Amino acid sequence: MTSESARSRQCRVAIAGFGTVGQSVAKILTSGVHAELTLTHVFNRNVASKRVDWTGPDVVWTESFDDLLAAEVDVVVELIGGTSPARDWIDRALLAGIPVVTANKQVIAQAGTELMSQARRHGTQLLFEAAVAGGIPIVRGMRDGVSGDRLTRVSGILNGTCNYILTSMEADGVSFEDALAEAQRLGYAEADPTADVEGFDAQAKLAILLAVGLRQVVTADDIPLASMTSVAAIDFAYARRLGCVIRQVAQAEVLDDGSVRASVRPSLVPEASPLARVDGSQNIVVVEGRYGGETAFSGYGAGGDPTAVAVVSDLVAVARGQAVAPTDLFPDKQRAARVVQGFEAGHYLRFTIADRPGIIAALAEVFSRHGVNVDAVLQEPGWSKTELPFVMTLETCGSMAVSAALGEIERFDFHVQAPVWLPILSDGEDGV
Amino acid sequence: MTSESARSRQCRVAIAGFGTVGQSVAKILTSGVHAELTLTHVFNRNVASKRVDWTGPDVVWTESFDDLLAAEVDVVVELIGGTSPARDWIDRALLAGIPVVTANKQVIAQAGTELMSQARRHGTQLLFEAAVAGGIPIVRGMRDGVSGDRLTRVSGILNGTCNYILTSMEADGVSFEDALAEAQRLGYAEADPTADVEGFDAQAKLAILLAVGLRQVVTADDIPLASMTSVAAIDFAYARRLGCVIRQVAQAEVLDDGSVRASVRPSLVPEASPLARVDGSQNIVVVEGRYGGETAFSGYGAGGDPTAVAVVSDLVAVARGQAVAPTDLFPDKQRAARVVQGFEAGHYLRFTIADRPGIIAALAEVFSRHGVNVDAVLQEPGWSKTELPFVMTLETCGSMAVSAALGEIERFDFHVQAPVWLPILSDGEDGV
C-alpha cells in the first residue's frame, strides 16, 4: 500500500520490426533522452536490408526471434503488425517472463484477454499504449488518469486516414476518390484503404477502448460498421446547412443490462462538438464518467514519431518498475459482452432520384407507417431533375424503424443511386 | 524490471477537509464503485456541523489531525486548502510514512520539492493529480502518458473562472463587471476573485506543470502575470476582426540555456487554436514534445465531482501499489530555474483617446524609433471623438521593445484611458 520508491535501472530493449515506428523508437532510444533505456537488439526479416549505423555498434541485428529470448533482454517491443506470427511471438516472450510492449491493435483486440492471462501467469506484463490513437496516452488515461471514475461512454475519431479524407472533402469540396488519392500520395492512406474506410481499423481500436475503459470485452467483429465510401461532396453542403460536419465516429456505451452499444460510422456531428474540431490526420477520444463528466484527449493518432512516443512511454514504465496488474488493464472476462446492433439518433438520408411528382409524399407515407417523424426536407439548387439529390432528416428514433422503412423505400423505382444514410449525433448522443 | 502483478488490497482512507471536494470524494468512496477503498475517517474543524449519515456508521469524525495519524490509516487526503496549516499536516503524515493525496496547488507549487524529499525519505508518496486542471489527468498524462517524449512547451487554460467570464463577455457582449457578477451568482467565481482574475491561481498551476512536465522547478511568484480586468467588451469585437478570441493563457517553455519562459496573460488566440475552443468553465492543457508533437487534454477543470475523480484516481493508484518515485513526479532540484520576463509575439494595443489630428503619426513614430513595425490600425465605428477607442496591432517582436515604446507613449496627453496591451499568439507561439 505504501510505496518503496521504485527506481529505474538499466533496461535492455529489443525491437521486433524495424519499419517506420520501429525506426522512430530506435531514434528516441539512441537520442540520450532516456538514459535508463538501451537498445540492444533489432529483429527483422532480411535484417541486412534494414541495418543502419546510427544505432551504434553494440546493437545486435538478427533474423531470429529466438535470439531475443536467448539474450534475456528486459523487454521486447513488438512492431511487426498483423496477427500472425506477431501474436505467437508476443506469446513466447511472455512465456519466457519477458515484458512486451506492442502497438498491435489487431492482436490486442482479438486476443487481449488470453495474452493478459499469459502475462499474469508468468509474472510479467503486456503494455499497448501505442495500439490506440498513436501518441495520445488514452490507454493510460483511462486506466490510471480517470480510474477514480466509473466510465460509461467513450467516443472518438480513431482513424486519421478517414479524418484526413473527410476534412479534405469538407475544406476543398473534392470527391471521396480525389481526397483518397491525395491522402495516398501524401502517405496518409495505404494503397489498399479498405481497413480504414470500411471501419475495421477503428473497430479494433474501439474494442480495446471498451476493454480498458468500459471494462467490457467484446468480439471486435461484432461492432457494427458503416463504410464511408458512400459519403459525397454534396453531403458536406447539406451537413453545413444542418450545423454539422461529417466524421467517422467510433462510439460505445455500456447499457444497464451489461450489454454494449457500439459502432463505427460516418456521422453528422454538430460543429460545436469536440469531435468536429479535429482536423486532418489527428485523433480524439472523449470519455464520459459518472462523476467527472467528459474528458477529452487529442493529438497525433498515427505517424512514426508520435506512435514511438507511446511505445517509449510504456518502456519507461517498465524501466521504472511501475507494475500494472494485467487485470487492471484488460478485464479477465471469459465471455464476450453482447453488442447491441440498433441505435437511437437523428437520421440524415440523402436520396438521389429521377424527379417526378409525389416522391416526398410516398417517402413520408412509408416513414409515417413505421412511426418515424420527418424533421426536414432540404434541396440544394442547381441539379438536374434526372439525377436530383435531396435530403430528408428524421427526428430522433431507433435505427431499426429506419432500416425497416428504407427496406420498403428501396423498392421504389425513382432511385438513381441507393440512399445514403448517416446518423445525426446530438450533443447528448455523441458522448460529447 | 519485470512485474510481479501488484494487487489491490483494502485501503483505509482519511479525508482531511470536508468541503465541496471532500464531500464528493466521500460520495464516490461510499458508492461501491471502488471496493478496495474504504472511507474510515473525516477530519474537519467543527466536525459536528459537517457530519452526515450517508457515509455509514463506521466512519470516525474528528477534529484532531493526530487521530488520523494514530489510527494508522493507509492514506490521507488533504483537502483543507491554503498553505497553513495544510502544508504542516501533509508534512506530518509523510513523516509518519503515510501516503498523502492532495488537491492543494499552493502547497505543491511552493513546497513541492521539499515535500517530495520528505516523501522519499520516509518511503512514502505524495500525489496531487487534483491540484491542476481538476478532473483532467494532466499530471499523470505528463508523468506517464507521454513520458517517452521530451516535453518542450506547455500551454493551457487553467482557470475556469476566467474562462467563464471571458467566454460570457464574448458570447453576450457584456462588460467584465457584469460577467464577473454573473459568475459569482452561479458559484463559478469567489466573492473575492483576485486570485483568478489577476492570474495567481493559474500561476501556481503553471509552476506545477513546469515541474512535472518540463522538469523545471521555478519560484511560482517569478512567473509574470497580467490582469484580465482591463479587457473590455470592445476588445472581443476587435479580436474577432483579427480572427481571434481572448483567453487567459498560461504558457511555459524551456529555453536552450535551461532558463524558462513562462507567463499567465489574457491573450488574443486564433479562433482555430485548441485554446480558443474551450468554452465556459472548462480547462485545457496542450503539451508539446520533441517527438510526439502536440497532445491536448481537456475537460472539467473544477467542481466537486471532477476534482474528486482526480483525488480518487490517486487513491486507486495507492491501493494498487503503483509506487511512483517522487523524483519521477517532481524533479529534485535545489535551485529554482530563472524565469525570463520578456516574450516574442504579435501585439494588440487598444488606445482610448480624445481624438485630434496626428495621433497615429505620433504613435507610429515612437514605435518606429524602437524598431517595432505597426501591422494594422483598426477602428470600430460609432464612438464619440472625446473617448475614442482604436486598436493598433504590431508585428511579432520582443515585448521589451513594446514596453519601452509604451513607456514613452503613456506620456502623451491624448489618453482618456491607459492603453490595453495583449499579446497575439500565433499558431506557432501559443504552443498549439
Side-chain angles (χ1 to χ4, degrees):
Chain A
M1 197 85 63
T2 66
S3 49
E4 184 58 29
S5 298
R7 282 316 308 149
S8 303
R9 59 190 178 85
Q10 207 53 36
C11 183
R12 303 166 70 239
V13 180
I15 296 176
F18 204 64
T20 307
V21 176
Q23 291 169 43
S24 286
V25 171
K27 188 174 70 179
I28 298 177
L29 294 184
T30 54
S31 71
V33 166
H34 302 285
E36 72 276 27
L37 299 172
T38 308
L39 176 64
T40 60
H41 291 73
V42 174
F43 160 77
N44 207 91
R45 289 185 187 165
N46 303 316
V47 74
S49 70
K50 291 285 186 179
R51 191 162 185 146
V52 295
D53 56 8
W54 50 260
T55 55
D58 297 335
V59 171
V60 177
W61 298 77
T62 176
E63 295 180 3
S64 158
F65 193 76
D66 291 323
D67 282 357
L68 310 187
L69 304 183
E72 296 184 340
V73 295
D74 296 306
V75 56
V76 170
V77 179
E78 186 279 303
L79 299 171
I80 296 155
T83 50
S84 180
R87 181 186 164 170
D88 181 49
W89 285 339
I90 293 171
D91 208 55
R92 287 174 59 205
L94 296 175
L95 183 66
I98 301 175
V100 176
V101 170
T102 180
N104 196 317
K105 59 185 169 285
Q106 290 95 345
V107 166
I108 299 297
Q110 288 177 22
T113 303
E114 295 85 338
L115 290 170
M116 287 295 160
S117 297
Q118 175 82 317
R120 197 175 61 244
R121 277 195 301 275
H122 298 282
T124 188
Q125 59 186 328
L126 172 58
L127 300 176
F128 51 84
E129 184 62 71
V132 185
I136 306 170
I138 185 60
V139 171
R140 228 173 227 101
M142 294 193 307
R143 189 200 68 195
D144 297 336
V146 294
S147 62
D149 210 342
R150 171 66 58 93
L151 299 185
T152 53
R153 301 171 59 102
V154 58
S155 60
I157 291 175
L158 303 178
N159 183 278
T161 303
C162 290
N163 209 55
Y164 179 84
I165 292 171
L166 290 170
T167 55
S168 296
M169 290 173 74
E170 180 188 332
D172 308 329
V174 297
S175 70
F176 171 77
E177 290 73 18
D178 289 349
L180 171 60
E182 176 72 1
Q184 288 169 323
R185 200 182 62 75
L186 294 171
Y188 291 147
E190 308 275 343
D192 175 0
T194 308
D196 295 317
V197 303
E198 300 299 327
F200 299 113
D201 174 82
Q203 186 186 49
K205 293 168 177 171
L206 185 61
I208 297 173
L209 295 181
L210 261 159
V212 178
L214 302 186
R215 315 299 297 159
Q216 297 295 327
V217 175
V218 301
T219 303
D221 294 345
D222 288 350
I223 298 174
L225 304 181
S227 171
M228 57 171 273
T229 55
S230 61
V231 176
I234 190 172
D235 293 311
F236 289 90
Y238 283 118
R240 194 171 298 125
R241 284 178 61 177
L242 296 164
C244 291
V245 296
I246 301 174
R247 295 287 185 269
Q248 188 200 52
V249 176
Q251 54 181 348
E253 63 181 314
V254 180
L255 305 180
D256 289 340
D257 65 358
S259 65
V260 167
R261 176 172 286 142
S263 64
V264 176
R265 297 177 203 279
S267 306
L268 269 71
V269 177
E271 283 165 359
S273 160
L275 299 186
R277 295 165 165 188
V278 177
D279 287 333
S281 62
Q282 298 224 327
N283 280 193
I284 187 171
V285 180
V286 181
V287 301
E288 185 176 341
R290 192 192 291 180
Y291 301 103
E294 289 163 0
T295 305
F297 304 74
S298 58
Y300 290 97
D305 283 359
T307 306
V309 165
V311 168
V312 178
S313 298
D314 279 345
L315 293 175
V316 169
V318 172
R320 285 177 179 168
Q322 288 178 334
V324 176
T327 48
D328 287 336
L329 199 47
F330 218 92
D332 185 24
K333 297 196 177 175
Q334 295 310 311
R335 221 157 52 119
R338 189 169 65 89
V339 180
V340 173
Q341 299 292 308
F343 60 94
E344 290 268 321
H347 303 271
Y348 168 101
L349 296 166
R350 172 168 55 84
F351 299 98
T352 307
I353 56 162
D355 200 18
R356 68 182 193 217
I359 289 178
I360 304 274
L363 295 172
E365 188 278 329
V366 177
F367 285 123
S368 169
R369 204 150 23 73
H370 287 87
V372 171
N373 291 327
V374 174
D375 191 21
V377 177
L378 308 174
Q379 190 174 319
E380 292 276 311
W383 292 81
S384 151
K385 283 204 172 286
T386 60
E387 191 172 345
L388 180 70
F390 75 95
V391 163
M392 287 184 109
T393 61
L394 309 179
E395 291 181 3
T396 297
C397 66
S399 59
M400 295 307 180
V402 179
S403 186
L406 280 177
E408 284 189 38
I409 285 168
E410 281 165 3
R411 294 199 291 271
F412 287 126
D413 63 0
F414 50 68
H415 299 289
V416 179
Q417 279 178 29
V420 171
W421 174 18
L422 307 173
I424 305 174
L425 306 184
S426 76
D427 277 350
E429 282 160 1
D430 56 0
V432 291
Chain B
M1 199 86 63
T2 65
S3 49
E4 183 59 28
S5 299
R7 282 315 308 149
S8 302
R9 59 187 177 86
Q10 208 52 36
C11 183
R12 303 165 72 239
V13 180
I15 296 176
F18 204 64
T20 306
V21 177
Q23 290 169 43
S24 286
V25 171
K27 189 174 68 180
I28 298 177
L29 294 183
T30 55
S31 70
V33 167
H34 302 285
E36 73 277 27
L37 300 171
T38 308
L39 177 63
T40 60
H41 290 73
V42 175
F43 160 77
N44 207 92
R45 288 184 188 168
N46 303 316
V47 75
S49 70
K50 291 286 186 180
R51 192 165 184 145
V52 296
D53 57 8
W54 49 261
T55 55
D58 297 334
V59 171
V60 177
W61 297 77
T62 177
E63 295 180 1
S64 159
F65 194 76
D66 291 322
D67 282 357
L68 309 187
L69 304 182
E72 296 184 338
V73 295
D74 295 307
V75 56
V76 170
V77 179
E78 186 280 304
L79 299 170
I80 296 156
T83 49
S84 179
R87 180 184 166 174
D88 181 50
W89 285 339
I90 293 172
D91 207 57
R92 287 175 57 204
L94 297 174
L95 183 67
I98 301 174
V100 175
V101 171
T102 181
N104 195 319
K105 58 185 170 286
Q106 290 95 344
V107 166
I108 299 298
Q110 288 177 22
T113 303
E114 294 85 338
L115 290 169
M116 287 294 161
S117 296
Q118 175 82 317
R120 196 173 64 245
R121 275 195 303 274
H122 298 281
T124 188
Q125 61 186 327
L126 172 59
L127 300 175
F128 51 84
E129 184 62 72
V132 185
I136 306 170
I138 184 60
V139 170
R140 229 174 225 99
M142 294 194 308
R143 189 200 68 195
D144 297 335
V146 294
S147 62
D149 210 341
R150 170 66 58 94
L151 299 185
T152 53
R153 301 171 57 101
V154 57
S155 60
I157 291 174
L158 303 178
N159 184 279
T161 304
C162 289
N163 208 55
Y164 179 85
I165 292 171
L166 290 169
T167 55
S168 296
M169 291 173 74
E170 178 188 335
D172 307 329
V174 297
S175 70
F176 170 77
E177 290 73 17
D178 288 349
L180 170 61
E182 177 71 1
Q184 287 170 325
R185 200 183 62 77
L186 293 170
Y188 291 148
E190 307 275 342
D192 176 0
T194 308
D196 297 316
V197 302
E198 300 299 327
F200 298 112
D201 176 81
Q203 185 185 50
K205 293 169 176 169
L206 185 60
I208 297 173
L209 296 181
L210 260 159
V212 178
L214 303 187
R215 314 301 297 160
Q216 297 296 328
V217 175
V218 300
T219 303
D221 294 345
D222 288 351
I223 298 173
L225 304 180
S227 171
M228 57 170 273
T229 54
S230 62
V231 176
I234 191 172
D235 294 310
F236 289 90
Y238 283 117
R240 195 171 297 124
R241 284 178 61 177
L242 296 164
C244 291
V245 296
I246 301 173
R247 295 287 184 267
Q248 189 200 52
V249 176
Q251 54 182 348
E253 62 182 315
V254 180
L255 305 180
D256 289 340
D257 65 359
S259 64
V260 167
R261 176 173 286 143
S263 63
V264 176
R265 298 177 202 279
S267 307
L268 268 71
V269 177
E271 282 165 0
S273 160
L275 298 187
R277 295 165 165 188
V278 176
D279 287 333
S281 62
Q282 298 224 328
N283 280 192
I284 188 171
V285 180
V286 181
V287 301
E288 185 175 342
R290 193 191 292 180
Y291 299 103
E294 288 163 2
T295 306
F297 303 74
S298 59
Y300 290 95
D305 283 0
T307 306
V309 166
V311 168
V312 178
S313 296
D314 278 345
L315 293 174
V316 168
V318 172
R320 286 177 179 168
Q322 288 178 334
V324 176
T327 48
D328 286 336
L329 199 48
F330 218 92
D332 186 23
K333 297 197 177 173
Q334 295 311 311
R335 223 159 49 122
R338 191 169 65 89
V339 180
V340 174
Q341 299 292 308
F343 60 93
E344 290 267 322
H347 302 270
Y348 167 101
L349 296 166
R350 173 168 54 83
F351 300 98
T352 308
I353 56 162
D355 199 19
R356 68 179 193 218
I359 289 178
I360 304 274
L363 295 172
E365 188 278 329
V366 176
F367 285 123
S368 169
R369 204 148 25 73
H370 286 86
V372 170
N373 290 328
V374 175
D375 191 22
V377 177
L378 307 175
Q379 191 174 319
E380 293 275 311
W383 292 81
S384 153
K385 284 207 172 284
T386 60
E387 190 172 346
L388 180 69
F390 75 95
V391 163
M392 287 183 111
T393 61
L394 309 179
E395 291 180 3
T396 297
C397 65
S399 59
M400 295 306 180
V402 179
S403 187
L406 280 178
E408 286 189 36
I409 286 168
E410 280 165 4
R411 293 198 292 270
F412 287 126
D413 64 359
F414 49 68
H415 299 291
V416 178
Q417 280 178 28
V420 171
W421 172 19
L422 306 173
I424 304 175
L425 306 184
S426 76
D427 277 351
E429 283 161 358
D430 57 359
V432 291

